[in-house]
Amino acid sequence: MEKSNILLETGTNELEIILFKVGKGTFGINVLKVREIINPLPITETPNEHEHVEGVIRLREEVVPVIDLAKVLNAPPSESLNEDKFVIAELNQLKVAFHVHSVSRIHRISWEQIEKPSELSQGITQTIGIVKMENEMPLLLDFEKIVVDINPESGLSVEQVKSMGPRMRSQKKILVAEDSPTLRKLLHDTLFEAGYDSIQFFENGKMAWEYLELLAKENESDIDRRINAVITDIEMPQMDGHHLAKRIKETQSLKHLPIIIFSSLITNDLYHKGESVGASAQISKPEIVKLVETLDELLN
């Protein structure tokens, strides 16, 4: 199965997901993360590897680690290796092969169809959303968390910001839209360390937009006292970061606000999408030092 060549118009709040099976569960991955889907290749085991890592494969000229999603999800191993696939994904500037048990098809959906998991269903900590579809409700997995749990060095680090040396406190007010509780905490800690301690967090683009829209309606002249910059993820339930940026730039009293897209999806292929919705800067997770330096430039 080849990756879709369809390029969605940017800012429509839609995405395409590839559905796959692991054990008896159905899961989804954003097409934008997927480079290709291949039949399993011979795996070379590596010493001292994480329990979720099967080993590495050689894919053309690259050595790519293989993550067994059955182990990650505590699912039984594949019953029929004939249907197994490797989903080759690129995120957080890393290329990874996710071992799944079968792949079905691509679906185009709206972020509005994706609900945040309830407290009861959060036993699966790797889930960022439940996709409401006509015949099933696949889970959208948090692939970034899966990778960071295996390799913590691929995540955000307060130490990186500390290495920048002493920082002055800033009075600038920043709005952050980020759906991952773990990343919200890390962003709070790292930005605070960098001197930015006036931060408002929203767990998706829709909640951030509703707040901004309210500010715009209340008092246009008051906006610069309430907010000076926006940092947004791309993948979020209800409203994605591209659509949030598009809404901001279409609103007269908000369009001057600098917008930084901070996402694992900032690749050469996708950079134009952020540009087309008016992002001031686009930074790939986990480059937290670059995020701080960009904030410094935009807010000074």
Side-chain angles (χ1 to χ4, degrees):
M1 175 178 171
E2 289 297 321
K3 177 182 154 186
S4 166
N5 289 321
I6 300 169
L7 279 176
L8 293 175
E9 182 187 342
T10 307
T12 62
N13 209 34
E14 291 180 301
L15 75 157
E16 289 174 334
I17 59 171
I18 297 172
L19 295 188
F20 60 86
K21 293 269 190 186
V22 176
K24 293 182 179 178
T26 303
F27 304 92
I29 182 170
N30 191 333
V31 166
L32 297 180
K33 289 188 168 87
V34 179
R35 290 289 157 263
E36 58 186 313
I37 296 169
I38 62 172
N39 291 321
L41 296 174
I43 295 174
T44 302
E45 291 188 16
T46 52
N48 305 316
E49 63 198 19
H50 190 278
E51 60 176 333
H52 296 159
V53 177
E54 295 184 60
V56 297
I57 57 171
R58 180 161 184 168
L59 185 62
R60 292 179 285 277
E61 297 305 312
E62 293 183 274
V63 175
V64 178
V66 180
I67 296 176
D68 186 351
L69 281 184
K71 288 181 178 175
V72 172
L73 299 168
N74 292 317
S78 176
E79 294 179 2
S80 171
L81 295 176
N82 294 336
E83 292 188 14
D84 282 26
K85 299 288 182 188
F86 286 174
V87 177
I88 310 300
E90 189 173 349
L91 51 138
N92 285 13
Q93 300 179 315
L94 297 171
K95 196 168 276 187
V96 179
F98 292 107
H99 184 175
V100 305
H101 296 168
S102 66
V103 173
S104 56
R105 55 179 290 241
I106 293 173
H107 295 264
R108 181 179 293 197
I109 59 171
S110 165
W111 281 103
E112 291 178 356
Q113 289 174 246
I114 300 174
E115 294 284 350
K116 182 184 173 186
S118 70
E119 297 298 323
L120 290 174
S121 63
Q122 283 184 344
I124 305 178
T125 57
Q126 298 88 355
T127 303
I128 60 170
I130 300 168
V131 186
K132 297 184 295 183
M133 298 175 67
E134 201 169 314
N135 299 317
E136 57 188 336
M137 290 201 299
L139 301 178
L140 203 60
L141 293 179
D142 188 344
F143 293 93
E144 288 76 10
K145 184 178 188 303
I146 291 169
V147 170
V148 170
D149 284 349
I150 293 169
N151 178 20
E153 290 180 9
S154 66
L156 302 189
S157 166
V158 178
E159 295 307 312
Q160 289 177 300
V161 177
K162 286 182 178 176
S163 70
M164 297 176 77
R167 309 265 308 170
M168 296 286 289
R169 293 285 109 187
S170 171
Q171 301 304 309
K172 300 294 186 180
K173 295 174 174 59
I174 301 166
L175 180 152
V176 178
E178 168 60 65
D179 65 309
S180 163
T182 305
L183 276 172
R184 285 199 298 272
K185 174 72 166 61
L186 282 167
L187 274 170
H188 173 272
D189 293 349
T190 50
L191 291 175
F192 184 86
E193 182 67 31
Y196 293 104
D197 50 14
S198 185
I199 310 168
Q200 277 184 286
F201 285 91
F202 295 87
E203 61 186 53
N204 62 51
K206 185 179 181 183
M207 294 172 75
W209 171 245
E210 286 172 350
Y211 172 76
L212 286 167
E213 191 177 33
L214 194 63
L215 284 189
K217 287 177 180 174
E218 279 181 353
N219 189 349
E220 290 188 17
S221 61
D222 200 35
I223 286 170
D224 288 339
R225 290 199 308 107
R226 305 282 289 276
I227 180 168
N228 302 110
V230 174
I231 298 172
T232 180
D233 190 13
I234 293 177
E235 290 189 297
M236 295 178 288
Q238 299 297 304
M239 184 185 290
D240 70 14
H242 284 144
H243 192 66
L244 172 62
K246 186 168 183 276
R247 287 279 187 94
I248 291 169
K249 292 302 179 182
E250 288 173 346
T251 304
Q252 184 64 32
S253 57
L254 299 172
K255 67 181 184 180
H256 67 285
L257 291 172
I259 301 170
I260 302 173
I261 294 178
F262 187 55
S263 167
S264 61
L265 290 176
I266 306 299
T267 62
N268 290 336
D269 293 345
L270 299 171
Y271 199 83
H272 73 279
K273 286 181 175 283
E275 286 183 322
S276 71
V277 292
S280 309
Q282 300 178 74
I283 299 165
S284 178
K285 292 174 180 174
E287 292 184 29
I288 188 66
V289 169
K290 189 173 178 183
L291 176 65
V292 171
E293 289 173 345
T294 304
L295 270 176
D296 292 347
E297 289 172 17
L298 291 171
L299 294 177
N300 284 340

